[in-house]
Amino acid sequence: MRAQRVWKVNGDASIGQLQSRLDDLNKRLGQLESQHPESWKLEELRASALSLSREIDDIRCAEATAALSELLRK
């Protein structure tokens, strides 16, 4: 039985682009936490940061899986 990938990866976004967006979000989170620690916007930014980090992880996993598959074919 062959293993199948169950996650979807956004092929248009590179890890570098996503990491840059995540860095910007984290910077904004830090600013907002110090200025308005009870802001509703914090939860929204945290959710966005988590989503981006998951997408980065998915891309890295997909790349590692592809590389491993290629090695196993040899």
Side-chain angles (χ1 to χ4, degrees), residues 37-56:
E38 298 172 8
S39 175
W40 60 269
K41 194 75 169 163
L42 284 172
E43 288 306 314
E44 189 176 302
L45 288 174
R46 285 183 185 130
S48 294
L50 283 172
S51 177
L52 276 173
S53 65
R54 286 184 189 118
E55 192 169 349
I56 291 168

Side-chain angles (χ1 to χ4, degrees), residues 22-35:
L22 182 57
D23 293 343
D24 291 343
L25 269 174
N26 285 328
K27 183 178 177 182
R28 181 69 183 124
L29 265 169
Q31 293 169 343
L32 196 55
E33 284 174 335
S34 65
Q35 295 170 357

